[in-house]
């Protein structure tokens, strides 16, 4: 798996990360964020070691319902069949920008500690919502990505963008594509008191439907 090595450069009002392409760090909720924001609780002070070997992504959508998954000012649902021709895939649609996608309310911050590496993996497929046709190529924000939304001390909203360049280079039209990388939680990501960790699966052209399946978010 290609690692998302983090090399920090400080800019005015933003953080920029070279390989993981971390872009702007917001100091308050962005204008396109859903409102009101969900309540979150403080991270536990100690965590059993075995918990940090879990896959923190849930596959409850395999029941045929998207309950527990949310859009970022767009609609979400499920579509069959999912990857491998079986089950269901999560579906993000009615998307007017690449930032629109699908996400769980939050996942545990317990194992998102400084220096900890996580495997981030999923299968993705995209097609135009009007024509139903797949896309021949994708690049950068026009590809499926993970937009990591964090909050520190329940007030500072930050966004970190994780890409898989190999997936983009080998993009397959009308087929499932494998996103596979690792992400290291640095001090800039974790901060002094990480109170929210929310992976948003997004990216792609305007008016594209994004399907995702076989999600893995796992400390390694």
């Amino acid at each position: 798996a290609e690692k998302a090595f983090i090399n920090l450069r400080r800019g005015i009002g933003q953080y920029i990360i070279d390989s993981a392409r971390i872009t702007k760090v917001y100091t308050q909720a962005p204008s396109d964020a859903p409102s009101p924001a969900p309540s979150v609780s403080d991270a536990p002070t100690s965590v059993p070691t075995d918990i940090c070997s879990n896959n923190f992504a849930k596959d409850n959508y395999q029941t045929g319902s998207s309950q527990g998954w949310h859009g970022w000012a767009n609609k979400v649902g499920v579509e069959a069949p999912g990857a491998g021709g079986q089950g269901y895939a999560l579906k993000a649609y009615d998307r007017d920008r690449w930032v629109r996608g699908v996400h769980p309310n939050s996942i545990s911050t317990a194992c998102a500690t400084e220096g900890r590496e996580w495997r981030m993996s999923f299968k993705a497929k995209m097609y135009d919502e009007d024509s139903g046709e797949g896309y021949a190529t994708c690049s950068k924000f026009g590809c499926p990505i993970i937009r990591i939304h964090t909050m520190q001390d329940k007030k500072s909203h930050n966004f970190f963008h994780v890409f898989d360049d190999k997936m983009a280079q080998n993009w397959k039209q009308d087929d499932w594509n494998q996103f596979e990388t690792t992400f290291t939680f640095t001090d800039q990501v974790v901060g002094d008191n990480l109170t929210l960790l929310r992976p948003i699966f997004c990216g792609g052209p305007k008016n594209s439907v994004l399907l995702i399946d076989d999600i893995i978010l796992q400390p390694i």
Side-chain angles (χ1 to χ4, degrees):
E2 181 173 321
K3 295 189 176 180
F5 291 107
I6 295 179
N7 300 305
L8 186 68
R9 303 196 305 270
R10 187 175 295 275
I12 299 175
Q14 64 180 2
Y15 293 120
I16 302 173
I17 286 186
D18 292 337
S19 180
R21 293 185 181 85
I22 292 182
T23 56
K24 191 168 184 179
V25 174
Y26 297 87
T27 56
Q28 59 185 11
S31 59
D32 62 353
S35 178
S39 60
V40 294
S41 57
D42 292 336
T45 55
S46 61
V47 186
T49 304
D50 58 347
I51 291 179
C52 291
S53 63
N54 291 345
N55 179 10
F56 283 84
K58 305 298 182 185
D59 63 353
N60 52 332
Y61 60 89
Q62 290 298 342
T63 62
S65 170
S66 60
Q67 185 175 0
W69 293 84
H70 311 278
W72 197 261
N74 61 274
K75 297 176 182 178
V76 300
V78 296
E79 185 171 305
Q86 299 179 342
Y88 296 89
L90 282 167
K91 176 181 180 180
Y93 61 106
D94 195 21
R95 302 196 306 149
D96 62 353
R97 298 176 59 198
W98 67 266
V99 295
R100 311 304 181 202
V102 58
H103 64 85
N105 187 43
S106 64
I107 61 176
S108 174
T109 62
C111 303
T113 54
E114 184 179 352
R116 192 69 188 248
E117 197 172 40
W118 283 44
R119 178 188 177 191
M120 296 190 172
S121 173
F122 63 94
K123 290 184 175 69
K125 188 177 182 180
M126 292 192 303
Y127 60 86
D128 182 82
E129 188 165 344
D130 293 328
S131 69
E133 295 183 2
Y135 297 94
T137 61
C138 78
S139 62
K140 296 185 179 180
F141 290 99
C143 284
I145 67 170
I146 300 178
R147 189 182 196 210
I148 301 174
H149 177 199
T150 67
M151 187 162 59
Q152 297 170 4
D153 296 321
K154 300 182 182 179
K155 59 184 179 181
S156 176
H157 291 260
N158 309 307
F159 292 88
F160 305 90
H161 300 104
V162 185
F163 297 71
D164 183 357
D165 292 332
K166 286 186 176 179
M167 180 191 68
Q169 293 166 5
N170 298 288
W171 182 260
K172 298 184 290 292
Q173 184 176 2
D174 300 320
D175 202 354
W176 290 94
N177 295 269
Q178 181 68 51
F179 181 104
E180 185 74 45
T181 191
T182 59
F183 181 83
T184 302
F185 284 84
T186 66
D187 176 64
Q188 287 73 30
V189 179
V190 176
D192 295 329
N193 184 24
L194 185 65
T195 52
L196 174 70
L197 178 59
R198 174 184 290 146
I200 306 169
F201 299 88
C202 60
K206 178 181 178 180
N207 203 47
S208 62
V209 174
L210 172 63
L211 303 178
I212 64 167
D213 197 6
D214 294 347
I215 308 165
I216 298 174
L217 301 170
Q218 187 172 29
I220 55 178

